[in-house]
Amino acid sequence: MAKQSLKDKLNLSSDKVDIKEGNFPLTKINFLLMLVCGVIILVGFLLMLGEPSGEEFNPDIFSTRRIVVGPTMAFVGFVLMGFAIIYSPRKKNKEEDK
């Protein structure tokens, strides 16, 4: 048997790949949803920020905004980010357009 090249083993051809709109796994709506989720996550982390206690006790470290609202927003943003990545819009049938 003659030795096959790696290109032949993997069935690679030098033809250019025809890139069409339907070939990409993520669409424009996926990227927009991911952007919105990223902003939600960022806002959640910003809500957790505050002045450090330093040498004097600062009761603001136990505020509802820093220990409930901020982490909840960040968590919801991460969950929605997963949804934004796997979301696939329904394709319209050509028959329905008529």
Side-chain angles (χ1 to χ4, degrees):
M1 285 186 165
K3 290 185 178 179
Q4 291 181 339
S5 68
L6 181 62
K7 187 176 182 180
D8 293 333
K9 287 180 183 178
L10 297 176
N11 295 327
L12 297 175
S13 63
S14 61
D15 298 336
K16 292 183 180 180
V17 177
D18 186 24
I19 298 176
K20 295 181 181 177
E21 187 176 325
N23 289 347
F24 293 112
L26 298 177
T27 60
K28 183 178 179 181
I29 190 75
N30 292 97
F31 288 111
L32 290 174
L33 288 173
M34 289 190 307
L35 179 68
V36 169
C37 293
V39 169
I40 292 172
I41 293 168
L42 181 66
V43 168
F45 278 102
L46 290 175
L47 287 174
M48 287 187 267
L49 289 176
E51 294 181 24
S53 290
E55 294 186 21
E56 188 176 311
F57 178 73
N58 185 0
D60 188 44
I61 63 171
F62 299 112
S63 70
T64 304
R65 174 185 60 92
R66 291 176 81 176
I67 64 171
V68 176
V69 178
T72 302
M73 281 191 70
F75 178 73
V76 168
F78 282 117
V79 170
L80 291 177
M81 182 69 77
F83 172 75
I85 293 171
I86 64 172
Y87 176 73
S88 178
R90 293 184 180 171
K91 307 239 179 184
K92 292 182 180 178
N93 292 335
K94 292 181 180 179
E95 297 172 3
E96 291 177 3
D97 292 339
K98 292 181 180 180

